Amino acid sequence: MDSATSRASAPLGASADNGLKIVIVGGFGVGKTTMVRSVSEIRPLNTEETMTQAGAAVDDLTGVHAKTTTTVAFDFGRITLDARNVLYLFGAPGQERFWFLWDRLFQGTLGAVVLVDTRRIDDSWYAIDRLERHGTPFVVALNDFGGPDFAPAQIREALDLDPHVPLLRCDARSRESAKEVLITLVEHVYARYAAGAADPARPTQELV
Amino acid sequence: MNGAGGRPGRDDAPDRLYTLTGGRSRAGADSPFDLVTLVVAECDPVPGMQSEHAAILRMTERPTAVVEIAAELRLPVGITKILLTDLLDAGRVSARHPRQEALPDPEILEQVLVGLRNL
Ligand SMILES: Nc1nc2c(ncn2[C@@H]2O[C@H](COP(=O)(O)OP(=O)(O)O)[C@@H](O)[C@H]2O)c(=O)[nH]1
Ligand SMILES: [Mg+2]
């Protein structure tokens, strides 16, 4: 294998020393890979992690043969922010078995984007519930597939969304739109920590 | 090579994975590597070296994240971390771990915002 020809992109600068993570979660076909591609400087790559249903990743290779083994694939892209900071974006499935991986792979993540297709709102409920339990900051981005145009209040109600969680529309195919989603997330994380995570007086963000 | 044709590791016989790592086990929580730990080669590949180790040294001439290494080797992340631990223990690579662990550092968040706005 000639690694020079299979490289996805130009390498990082020699001074890069701080990797950061943002995870984009959502159901199949909601636009996760599309959003990663829109902003990534490399074409999206994919990889996988193998784990047992008990939640432990299978590093003990005897476990590879066990029937309880399951594999979760995810894709990712990369954004060089400056000479030292590199942001990795992960597109990950929202379904139940994926969450076994969360602590192992995505602990220390800056935050998450929950991508929602308004034609299949209920697909997102589980992911939102899990992120809230984990205490991971997140925003909800409605990817526009031409589905029903619900009012923000209806969507918040359907998702049982905490009033301070930002809700915005996006087009995952658009670089500008994907950028805006990421900026909204990081501003939300910033505001959350600036205000102190326990401050109940945080304003509702209504961006739809 | 990372196209739709095959997901890394999925098509590999468990025997191949077993051979790669010498069948060692390592608890996931013990691994010093994060998905986005940046790995940098500290030496060139040497003749007779396990081919995956040599491939890692070639691709980490510049800083390269664990997850990129896994994708390029087409191996699961856990197996990739075992290979990286071998190289780290032997002093053949160094590891630049993510600076922020539990709480985000406001200064870094500001840098992230500046970087995103400049995209
Ligand atoms: N109309 C429309 N189509 C989209 C949008 N985002 C993604 N798609 C399309 O939806 C399909 C599934 O997207 P993909 O990113 O593969 O979804 P994933 O399964 O979440 O990774 C692809 O054919 C995309 O081109 C969007 O914002 N609007
Ligand atoms: Mg996808």
Side-chain angles (χ1 to χ4, degrees), chain A residues 131-142:
Chain A
L131 290 169
E132 277 173 352
R133 282 166 199 256
H134 276 278
T136 304
F138 64 96
V139 299
V140 175
L142 307 174

Side-chain angles (χ1 to χ4, degrees), chain A residues 15 25 27-28 50 62 74 82 92 99 120 130-131 134 204:
Chain A
S15 57
V25 286
F28 180 75
T50 305
T62 57
F74 53 94
D82 56 42
W99 295 91
R120 296 176 297 160
R130 293 302 290 255
L131 290 169
H134 276 278
T204 300

Side-chain angles (χ1 to χ4, degrees), chain A residues 18-98:
Chain A
N18 189 38
L20 298 140
K21 290 175 274 197
I22 286 178
V23 186
I24 301 168
V25 286
F28 180 75
V30 77
K32 301 179 296 294
T33 304
T34 303
M35 179 170 275
V36 170
R37 184 181 299 116
S38 291
V39 284
S40 177
E41 66 200 22
I42 59 174
R43 82 186 143 75
L45 295 172
N46 71 78
T47 187
E48 65 178 23
E49 181 61 298
T50 305
M51 62 191 177
T52 64
Q53 288 292 1
V58 181
D59 287 335
D60 176 353
L61 291 164
T62 57
V64 169
H65 301 275
K67 283 200 173 70
T68 51
T69 294
T70 180
T71 293
V72 171
F74 53 94
D75 46 25
F76 65 93
R78 186 178 85 191
I79 300 171
T80 298
L81 295 168
D82 56 42
R84 300 184 66 177
N85 294 303
V86 191
L87 175 62
Y88 287 86
L89 295 177
F90 295 92
Q95 75 261 33
E96 204 159 340
R97 64 180 190 132
F98 156 73

Side-chain angles (χ1 to χ4, degrees), chain A residues 67-181:
Chain A
K67 283 200 173 70
T68 51
T69 294
T70 180
T71 293
V72 171
F74 53 94
D75 46 25
F76 65 93
R78 186 178 85 191
I79 300 171
T80 298
L81 295 168
D82 56 42
R84 300 184 66 177
N85 294 303
V86 191
L87 175 62
Y88 287 86
L89 295 177
F90 295 92
Q95 75 261 33
E96 204 159 340
R97 64 180 190 132
F98 156 73
W99 295 91
F100 289 113
L101 269 173
W102 183 272
D103 285 332
R104 178 182 172 81
L105 289 179
F106 298 123
Q107 70 167 251
T109 193
L110 275 181
V113 174
V114 179
L115 261 190
V116 174
D117 177 347
T118 58
R119 299 168 302 177
R120 296 176 297 160
I121 284 185
D122 291 346
D123 280 9
S124 323
W125 193 89
Y126 189 78
I128 287 171
D129 187 53
R130 293 302 290 255
L131 290 169
E132 277 173 352
R133 282 166 199 256
H134 276 278
T136 304
F138 64 96
V139 299
V140 175
L142 307 174
N143 199 10
D144 185 7
F145 284 92
D149 190 15
F150 295 110
Q154 290 177 291
I155 288 169
R156 282 189 184 277
E157 194 182 323
L159 292 174
D160 195 17
L161 203 58
D162 192 290
H164 73 269
V165 174
L167 173 66
L168 71 167
R169 293 183 200 285
C170 75
D171 182 335
R173 300 163 298 181
S174 152
R175 178 176 167 87
E176 280 309 309
S177 177
K179 246 179 77 172
E180 190 198 340
V181 171

